[in-house]
Amino acid sequence: MTVSPLSAMAFEDRMATTEFRVSGTPHIVVEGDSCRGCTTRACVIACPAGLFVPTFDGGILFNYEQCFECGTCYLVCNTAGAISWSYPEGGSGVVFRRT
Amino acid sequence: MSSESFDAVVVGAGPAGSAAALRLARAGRSVCLLERGPFPGAKNLFGGVIYPRILDTILPGWTGEAPIERRVTRRATMILTDTQCLSVDFRSSSWGGEAYNGVTALRPRFDSWLAGRAVAEGAVLLTSTTATGLIRTADGAVSGVRTDRPDGDLLARVVVACDGVNSFLAREANSAKPPSPEHYTLGVKEVLAFAPEEIERRFALAPGEGADFEVLGGTGGVAGGGFVYTNSETISVGLVLSVRDLESSSRRPEDLLACFKANPGIAPYVSGGELVEYGAHLIPEAGIAMMPELAGDGFLVAGDAAGMCLAAGIWLEGVNFALSSGAAAGEAAAAAMAAGDVTKAGLKRRYTALLEAGFVLADLRRLRRAPELVLGARMQGAYPALACNIAERMLTVTNPEPKAGLRSIARAELKRSGLRLRDAVRDAVSLVRTFG
Ligand SMILES: Cc1cc2nc3c(=O)[nH]c(=O)nc-3n(C[C@H](O)[C@H](O)[C@H](O)COP(=O)(O)OP(=O)(O)OC[C@H]3O[C@@H](n4cnc5c(N)ncnc54)[C@H](O)[C@@H]3O)c2cc1C
Ligand code: SF4
Ligand code: SF4
């Protein structure tokens, strides 16, 4: 992932500002093998949390833990079966600040 | 099997859901308000400004108690290029009085407050609970929802889906085709901390007053727009990006946002604040064009779940649309139950009559061409540059050359922009037709 020199902070620090109550069960599962034939790699650009990381062998590494639950990835993915998407179990996942 | 039973189950404690639950409870109905977050608003992110006049009819007396950040007295529409900024900057001190036109808010606080008002009217709020699907009777009518709790089935005569932009319930009820990216924009936002006096100094505001900037251009070539809003002790700055455009661009959202913040027209307002939260959320952009079937047997849809959000360039209004459509759905459900007819026809007739009597459908119809127009290539690129260049030449003193008139400057700049007059005229006509 590229972080432009303009971003004042590293991407990890940016994500660390938001609270995530991580559930033990992933709510999004990416079938990394289905991604090998994908030419768009749209998720890698579009996921605002930067959770889709291309691997050296043409697959995709995905980690659900810091997900905003926005839905952008399943909108942009054209490969049937690559992403199974649902909301995390009640009470877990992203929690935006009350103050 | 133990399953609880209510007159109505409302899924989602955002503005639509809380308004629906409030109306149902007030009509004397037992109602369960279901929310997957640990508290209402935990999952909800917006710009944002709430245009709250609709609350006068839903919750008279709300002004003293709603958790608002600032009353918006300054509203600017800006056009940006990399080096120029042209703005129409409007202020009204009458917006600062009790008759607020708009108030800035943080959704986790606002949504928690509103859900609390529904509870005060008698609704049962169930948080940390995700609805996972619809329960139907043998003849297909919706009769409740399944949840991710053990023994989590909730039965109801009417289910009101207020589950937001990714509404799985509306899709399940409609067996609709998969959503298409053209109909959505992605909002990314940063919340930056400042001392209140510093916010008032930067935006030239009196204490408690707020500013709302909507921006065209400055999105790094991805169709969309930007915003800056003042809260009490934070500034919200963000971008709204066409999902279609973003996926085929080579720039990530946080990169585009960093460039927007560094733009000379925006930087003086937002630089130096400490980032206290970063987040993202989708916006249903297509209004009428993406609206699902609004009713089924025992089932209604309201708010973002129904595509009832006005995203039309200088307008980004969703909370007031959610409040109004949610309240209408709640009222329709209560009336249908009282009449003993919760069939699709019985619900739909009452719901659409209430919607037709208000602003939701009228505004969406009136501005139905706006998203396409505002997100179009010329409106995003060539026109902002043209407007800024004309302004720059009008305002630049070129002595010893004498001044050129506006007409000759405009003609020269139009030529330089490569725009065809025919397109410009056609766009002007559709602009007038859309917004006029
Ligand atoms: C970046 C951005 C900027 C915006 N700016 C503005 C603005 O300035 N002014 C304005 O008026 N509008 C703005 N909007 C639009 C506005 O936020 C929405 O239109 C509004 O929130 C819709 O309300 P709702 O109640 O329909 O949905 P939501 O507010 O999304 O509420 C849906 C609720 O349902 C819950 N839920 C979802 N699925 C389930 C499930 N299966 N089980 C249980 N609970 C569930 C969610 O957790 C959530 O609480 C903006 C939106 C974005 C993304
Ligand atoms: S998840 Fe979809 S868009 Fe992303 S790489 Fe895999 S197939 Fe392509
Ligand atoms: S839902 Fe949004 S934040 Fe989560 S993985 Fe998909 S695109 Fe990224």
Side-chain angles (χ1 to χ4, degrees):
Chain A
M1 169 192 333
T2 54
V3 177
S4 104
L6 278 170
S7 341
M9 61 190 341
F11 194 72
E12 303 79 76
D13 296 339
R14 163 183 297 276
M15 292 304 295
T17 60
T18 307
E19 182 186 349
F20 297 93
R21 299 187 187 170
V22 180
S23 151
T25 343
H27 60 290
I28 298 175
V29 177
V30 178
E31 221 21 272
D33 281 336
S34 312
C35 300
R36 283 176 211 285
C38 170
T39 50
T40 69
R41 298 283 154 137
C43 58
V44 177
I45 289 289
C47 168
L51 299 178
F52 293 77
V53 181
T55 58
F56 69 94
D57 61 343
I60 286 282
L61 201 66
F62 176 80
N63 185 321
Y64 69 97
E65 293 181 5
Q66 293 191 314
C67 168
F68 295 125
E69 302 152 30
C70 67
T72 306
C73 51
Y74 81 71
L75 273 186
V76 299
C77 179
N78 294 324
T79 309
I83 299 180
S84 357
W85 203 101
S86 62
Y87 284 126
E89 63 191 308
S92 56
V94 70
V95 179
F96 290 119
R97 38 189 293 146
R98 241 190 290 207
T99 51
Chain B
M1 203 176 81
S2 70
S3 40
E4 269 198 88
S5 185
F6 294 87
D7 286 329
V9 167
V10 177
V11 181
S18 289
L22 198 147
R23 275 283 157 86
L24 278 153
R26 198 176 282 166
R29 294 290 159 185
S30 64
V31 48
C32 177
L33 177 59
L34 206 63
E35 169 57 47
R36 65 188 188 86
F39 54 85
K43 305 287 183 184
N44 302 345
L45 173 149
F46 84 146
V49 173
I50 295 175
Y51 301 96
R53 296 281 44 118
I54 188 66
L55 278 175
D56 297 345
T57 57
I58 299 171
L59 262 180
W62 64 274
T63 41
E65 46 167 294
I68 65 170
E69 296 287 310
R70 288 173 182 270
R71 306 179 299 273
V72 174
T73 54
R74 177 178 181 195
R75 195 166 171 185
T77 301
M78 296 180 161
I79 297 174
L80 283 191
T81 69
D82 289 345
T83 56
Q84 301 153 306
C85 172
L86 173 65
S87 59
V88 177
D89 192 342
F90 180 74
R91 283 169 179 266
S92 172
S93 48
S94 74
W95 287 350
E98 273 291 280
Y100 317 134
N101 177 59
V103 293
T104 52
L106 297 169
R107 294 289 302 283
R109 287 183 68 204
F110 184 86
D111 291 8
S112 286
W113 165 75
L114 191 64
R117 295 313 316 252
V119 170
E121 301 269 352
V124 176
L125 173 67
L126 211 56
T127 56
S128 297
T129 309
T130 305
T132 52
L134 296 171
I135 302 172
R136 293 177 189 265
T137 61
D139 56 7
V142 173
S143 59
V145 294
R146 296 194 197 290
T147 77
D148 63 351
R149 292 203 175 199
D151 293 324
D153 287 1
L154 296 170
L155 299 180
R157 292 171 69 191
V158 179
V159 170
V160 187
C162 299
D163 50 343
V165 60
N166 289 306
S167 181
F168 290 102
L169 295 185
R171 283 174 205 158
E172 183 181 335
N174 277 294
S175 47
K177 52 179 169 23
S180 58
E182 291 74 38
H183 290 167
Y184 299 86
T185 48
L186 171 66
V188 287
K189 162 175 143 174
E190 290 184 1
V191 181
L192 305 169
F194 290 94
E197 307 74 44
E198 176 64 8
I199 294 175
E200 285 144 18
R201 195 188 62 74
R202 289 190 182 204
F203 290 82
L205 300 165
E209 293 189 350
D212 155 351
F213 293 177
E214 282 112 13
V215 186
L216 190 65
T219 48
V222 174
F227 58 79
V228 182
Y229 299 112
T230 56
N231 305 311
S232 302
E233 301 179 354
T234 54
I235 290 174
S236 298
V237 53
L239 294 178
V240 171
L241 302 164
S242 145
V243 169
R244 249 302 176 248
D245 244 37
L246 178 65
E247 63 165 282
S248 49
S249 92
S250 56
R251 315 255 323 259
R252 290 196 27 87
E254 74 279 2
D255 249 3
L256 294 166
L257 183 50
C259 290
F260 179 71
K261 284 172 63 190
N263 186 291
I266 302 298
Y269 295 104
V270 302
S271 65
E274 183 205 351
L275 178 67
V276 292
E277 189 169 72
Y278 169 65
H281 201 283
L282 285 178
I283 302 172
E285 188 83 17
I288 302 276
M290 72 191 298
M291 208 170 271
E293 184 68 79
L294 296 179
D297 291 329
F299 187 73
L300 285 170
V301 194
D304 274 9
M308 292 175 186
C309 178
L310 185 72
I314 60 170
W315 286 288
L316 179 46
E317 300 178 24
V319 172
N320 49 336
F321 280 65
L323 288 168
S324 185
S325 59
E331 198 176 327
M337 281 188 250
D341 176 14
V342 296
T343 61
K344 176 175 176 172
L347 286 167
K348 188 170 180 175
R349 178 163 49 81
R350 293 179 172 86
Y351 186 32
T352 43
L354 288 166
L355 288 174
E356 291 292 354
F359 63 89
V360 170
L361 291 178
D363 285 358
L364 287 173
R365 268 191 215 117
R366 183 183 174 83
L367 290 162
R368 69 189 178 285
R369 290 196 215 89
E372 203 184 327
L373 191 67
V374 174
L375 294 178
R378 286 190 292 275
M379 204 60 86
Q380 288 284 322
Y383 294 142
L386 178 64
C388 286
N389 288 340
I390 292 175
E392 178 153 350
R393 287 199 43 198
M394 280 299 288
L395 301 173
T396 304
V397 180
T398 54
N399 299 165
E401 293 291 317
K403 297 192 189 313
L406 174 59
R407 237 184 311 160
S408 79
I409 290 178
R411 211 178 303 123
E413 285 301 325
L414 186 65
K415 190 161 177 216
R416 193 158 75 101
S417 72
L419 281 162
R420 289 185 307 183
L421 190 60
R422 189 166 12 117
D423 290 333
V425 169
R426 183 146 30 93
D427 290 340
V429 169
S430 60
L431 207 65
V432 170
R433 216 189 277 147
T434 302
F435 293 98

